[in-house]
Amino acid sequence: MENALYVGLSRQIVLRREMDIIANNIANADTAGFKVESLMTRADPQAPAFTLGGPKPVKFVVADGVARDFAQGALRKTDGPFDMAIEGQGFFRVQSAEGERFTRDGRFRTDEIGRLTTQGGSPVLDEGGGEITVDPELGPVTIAQDGTISQGGERIGKVAVVAFDDLAVLEKRGDNLYQNTSNALPQPALEAKVRQGMLEGSNVQPIAEITRMIEVQRAYESMARMMDSNADLSRRTVERMGRVS
C-alpha cells in the first residue's frame, strides 16, 4: 500500500505542475506572440518500497518537459508605426543583456536614441546582426512585407526574421523571448511576411484551457481520495493485526 501512496504522490506533484502551466497560459491569453504550453509526462520505473508480491518495478509519474505549440496566432490591427506581426513561421532577432534572443512579440518602440527595441528595451536586430536606428526628423516609417524599413524614401534597415528547422531547440527565457540552445544557426525565413501596424495574438484558447484546468483539478482530488482510502485501509490492517497478536 505504501507503493500506491508514493505513486499517487508522484502523480499529484505532476498535476500541480500542470495546473501552474495552464494558469500561465490563461494569464497570457492576451499577450502578443505568446505560445500555448502543455506538460509532457513519462513513467519512471523505480524499485518498490517492499517486494512482497508487488510489481517490479513500480512506475512513478514524473514531468518530462514542456511542449510548446508554435501555431500561428490571430493577427489584429493596431496601426502602431512600430508594431509588427509575422505571418508564417519565423522569429524576430533581438539582443538582450544575456545574449541573442528570438521572439514573436512585435510590440516594438524606439528608445531615447532612436533604436528600435522591444518593450523590455532589447534592441531589435537587422539581417546583418546590427541595431536599427530611426531618426524622428525624417518622417514616418514604412515597413515592407520582407522587413525592409524605409524613412523619408530611403532604406534604413531590414528587420531580421529567421526560422529554425527544429523548434525544440528554443527555450523560453522570460519577457516572451527564446534562446537557441543548439549550435544550429537560424536561417532567413524567406516565406514569412512582416505586417506593419499589426500584432500577432496569443494562440491560447481560453475555453479549452479552463476545461483542462477543471480536468486537472478533478484528477488531483480523485488521487487525494485514493490516497486517503489506501491510508485508511493500511491503518485498519495494522489495528486488526494488533488485535490478533
Side-chain angles (χ1 to χ4, degrees):
M1 284 179 285
E2 285 82 355
N3 289 324
L5 292 176
Y6 294 148
V7 172
L9 180 60
S10 73
R11 177 59 175 155
Q12 281 190 317
I13 293 173
V14 169
L15 287 170
R16 182 163 184 172
R17 172 61 177 146
E18 187 173 1
M19 181 66 80
D20 290 340
I21 292 174
I22 295 172
N24 185 62
N25 287 338
I26 294 174
N28 286 280
D30 291 327
T31 300
F34 181 83
K35 300 304 177 185
V36 66
E37 300 174 339
S38 59
L39 185 67
M40 297 185 295
T41 61
R42 62 178 174 84
D44 184 25
Q46 296 289 339
F50 61 92
T51 58
L52 183 59
K56 302 178 183 179
V58 172
K59 294 183 179 180
F60 296 90
V61 184
V62 296
D64 192 30
V66 176
R68 191 168 292 110
D69 182 359
F70 283 100
Q72 177 86 50
L75 304 187
R76 61 182 177 86
K77 189 174 182 180
T78 65
D79 290 328
F82 300 113
D83 285 343
M84 302 181 211
I86 298 175
E87 184 178 349
Q89 295 297 314
F91 297 86
F92 298 111
R93 291 173 61 191
V94 301
Q95 185 67 42
S96 73
E98 294 76 26
E100 188 175 74
R101 297 290 185 263
F102 304 89
T103 186
R104 297 274 299 190
D105 186 350
R107 295 175 296 173
F108 300 142
R109 60 182 181 86
T110 55
D111 62 12
E112 63 278 359
I113 60 175
R115 293 183 308 174
L116 189 65
T117 71
T118 65
Q119 291 293 311
S122 298
V124 180
L125 302 181
D126 63 15
E127 56 185 349
E131 298 176 356
I132 300 172
T133 302
V134 175
D135 186 347
E137 296 183 358
L138 295 180
V141 170
T142 302
I143 304 173
Q145 292 185 6
D146 66 351
T148 299
I149 301 178
S150 301
Q151 191 177 24
E154 297 183 2
R155 183 183 187 276
I156 63 173
K158 183 178 181 180
V159 176
V161 179
V162 297
F164 294 84
D165 292 332
D166 182 10
L167 294 176
V169 304
L170 295 176
E171 187 173 297
K172 192 157 69 171
R173 282 289 182 262
D175 291 333
N176 225 357
L177 301 176
Y178 299 96
Q179 179 184 2
N180 179 11
T181 59
S182 73
N183 294 325
L185 296 177
Q187 301 300 316
L190 301 178
E191 297 183 2
K193 297 179 180 179
V194 176
R195 301 296 189 183
Q196 182 183 18
M198 303 185 76
L199 289 175
E200 179 189 10
S202 164
N203 65 355
V204 174
Q205 298 181 19
I207 300 301
E209 293 303 305
I210 292 174
T211 301
R212 284 180 58 203
M213 179 176 285
I214 294 172
E215 292 173 349
V216 169
Q217 180 66 30
R218 288 176 176 173
Y220 189 95
E221 294 172 350
S222 176
M223 193 59 60
R225 288 193 297 269
M226 183 275 291
M227 295 170 65
D228 288 342
S229 177
N230 274 273
D232 184 60
L233 181 59
S234 179
R235 178 183 57 79
R236 284 185 290 164
T237 300
V238 172
E239 290 176 351
R240 289 178 181 177
M241 291 178 63
R243 287 197 295 268
V244 171
S245 61

